[in-house]
Amino acid sequence: MSQDAARRDRLRAQLDPATTALLTVECQNGVVGADSALPELAKEAQASGMLGRVAALVDAAHLAGVQVLHAVAERRPDGRAANSNARLFRAAGKLPVRQLSGTRAVEVAEPIAVAEEDIVVRRLHGLSPMAGTDLDALLRNLGCRTLVVTGVSANVAIPNTVFDAVNFGYTVVVPADAIAGVPADYTPQLIRNSLALVATVTTAEDVIDTWARD
């Protein structure tokens, strides 16, 4: 068997729709949308094609019966219980666009489609959608063993999500062209030097093709 064939078989086994979930991370209007608090990141998410590929992965997951979850970062208008123990958190509180609960900023951004069966996981603190949220329990209740991680940013939330998921015992698949960070050349470095050590790195097209065959 060729290496390519072996890789496809391994990916197909990992991406069994019955035991796989697709997670979008911070693909919300206030982060990657037109009115983003982080315009440089939003521009990279659009220009790289990342946002469109995440939307295509979500559509493919819906067709294949793969559970989709959307991780959203938000904060209360009064800031109660939000972190203040890092420069990132303090800066976020001063941005002109804030990720306030109940506002358009924390809605999943177009062109990503949110289906009725999707689950939106919201967090008020921290750097990872898996730390201190219901995400791990929800995934276990769904029978998930493989988590496909997409979204932003490669600088903070994506590596936190991948490492947390691995520590919790999940097999993690990262479509390299469905995550983004700034500057643009940082993302492939993160993938090559960190994420590839703990996750299966592939492409959005390969994931979509795998689900289409099942």
Side-chain angles (χ1 to χ4, degrees):
M1 180 183 293
S2 69
Q3 288 186 343
D4 283 347
R7 179 184 60 81
R8 286 193 297 269
D9 286 349
R10 183 170 62 253
L11 190 63
R12 187 171 187 179
Q14 290 176 335
L15 293 174
D16 179 357
T19 57
T20 299
L22 171 67
L23 180 69
T24 74
V25 178
E26 295 184 26
C27 291
Q28 57 200 77
N29 288 319
V31 177
V32 297
D35 299 321
S36 171
L38 304 165
E40 186 180 359
L41 178 59
K43 181 179 179 181
E44 176 59 23
Q46 292 280 355
S48 67
M50 182 225 81
L51 202 56
R53 283 187 283 272
V54 173
L57 282 162
V58 169
D59 290 344
H62 290 154
L63 288 172
V66 173
Q67 179 66 53
V68 178
L69 301 97
H70 306 278
V72 172
E74 59 183 55
R75 60 190 294 147
R76 289 167 51 110
D78 61 7
R80 188 176 297 273
N83 288 70
S84 60
N85 58 332
R87 185 171 57 137
L88 175 67
F89 301 125
R90 294 190 292 272
K94 299 175 182 177
L95 292 172
V97 177
R98 300 173 65 201
Q99 316 300 320
L100 300 181
S101 301
T103 67
R104 175 173 165 74
V106 298
E107 295 176 0
V108 176
E110 295 180 346
I112 298 170
V114 180
E116 185 177 353
E117 63 269 21
D118 292 2
I119 297 174
V120 179
V121 180
R122 304 183 182 277
R123 78 177 195 274
L124 290 171
H125 65 90
L127 300 171
S128 167
M130 199 161 251
T133 72
D134 293 332
L135 181 55
D136 177 47
L138 293 172
L139 292 172
R140 293 186 188 282
N141 288 346
L142 291 164
C144 174
R145 294 200 295 269
T146 297
L147 186 64
V148 181
V149 176
T150 67
V152 295
S153 72
N155 305 78
V156 179
I158 293 298
N160 269 275
T161 305
V162 171
F163 294 142
D164 282 350
V166 171
N167 284 330
F168 277 115
Y170 297 96
T171 295
V172 178
V173 174
V174 177
D177 53 355
I179 66 172
V182 290
D185 61 1
Y186 176 72
T187 301
Q189 294 179 34
L190 169 77
I191 292 168
R192 181 172 59 253
N193 296 308
S194 296
L195 301 189
L197 302 177
V198 297
T200 297
V201 176
T202 184
T203 65
E205 182 179 10
D206 280 350
V207 174
I208 292 168
D209 287 348
T210 299
W211 284 337
R213 292 193 190 101
D214 287 330

